[in-house]
Amino acid sequence: MAVQRTFSIIKPDATKRNLTGKIIAKFEDAGLRVVASKRIHMTREQAEGFYAVHKERPFFGELVDFMISEPVVVQVLEGEDAIAKNREVMGATNPADAADGTIRKEFALSIGENSVHGSDAPETAAEEIAYFFSDDEIVG
């Protein structure tokens, strides 16, 4: 295994309920380090650009509306096999299917309001990190 970086978003449903610290603690307890982090209120343009891959899907408008409804925390996480580890800590997209102890099992409200986003591959991680962070903002 190699040290990797991955991208994470703590979504509006979680920031609204003041769960940011609890979620970050789960990442850190799993051996991931936060090497960049900022709390932002995503603009419609940012959300539409970030989720452009889903533009033709029926849920796109609802997803964008949700992501701009409250602040989010965008982060870069680093660690051994960070992409897979992040996805394991997050749990299944549907909280009903998520394993006990995962973020989505403990905190998600629904499939749509599932508290966190994480990159699914090295290429996506690189693109998603670059979308929100410049190189000088990542301070491992």
Side-chain angles (χ1 to χ4, degrees):
M1 292 189 293
V3 172
Q4 292 179 316
R5 287 184 174 161
T6 191
F7 179 73
S8 169
I9 300 176
I10 300 176
K11 293 182 178 182
D13 64 292
T15 63
K16 183 178 185 176
R17 293 178 291 141
N18 205 28
L19 297 173
T20 302
K22 290 178 181 178
I23 290 172
I24 291 170
K26 285 195 166 286
F27 292 135
E28 291 178 334
D29 290 347
L32 297 169
R33 288 180 3 140
V34 178
V35 295
S37 179
K38 55 188 168 184
R39 184 180 185 95
I40 62 170
H41 202 136
M42 208 180 291
T43 66
R44 181 168 297 280
E45 181 179 81
Q46 282 176 312
E48 287 176 348
F50 185 78
Y51 288 107
V53 66
H54 299 304
K55 190 170 182 112
E56 301 305 317
R57 296 195 176 188
F59 61 81
F60 179 74
E62 186 178 327
L63 173 61
V64 169
D65 288 345
F66 167 61
M67 291 304 293
I68 66 173
S69 67
E70 297 282 338
V72 298
V73 176
V74 291
Q75 307 180 100
V76 180
L77 305 176
E78 182 179 84
E80 290 287 330
D81 204 19
I83 295 166
K85 184 164 287 189
N86 180 33
R87 295 187 69 75
E88 179 183 323
V89 172
M90 287 190 310
T93 302
N94 183 345
D97 298 333
D100 288 343
T102 62
I103 292 168
R104 289 177 174 153
K105 187 67 163 189
E106 289 188 25
F107 303 124
L109 299 173
S110 66
I111 291 177
E113 294 181 312
N114 62 14
S115 300
V116 286
H117 161 86
S119 302
D120 60 2
E123 302 76 25
T124 342
E127 290 171 14
E128 292 177 346
I129 290 168
Y131 193 84
F132 287 102
F133 293 96
S134 62
D135 288 342
D136 65 341
E137 292 178 298
I138 303 169
V139 289

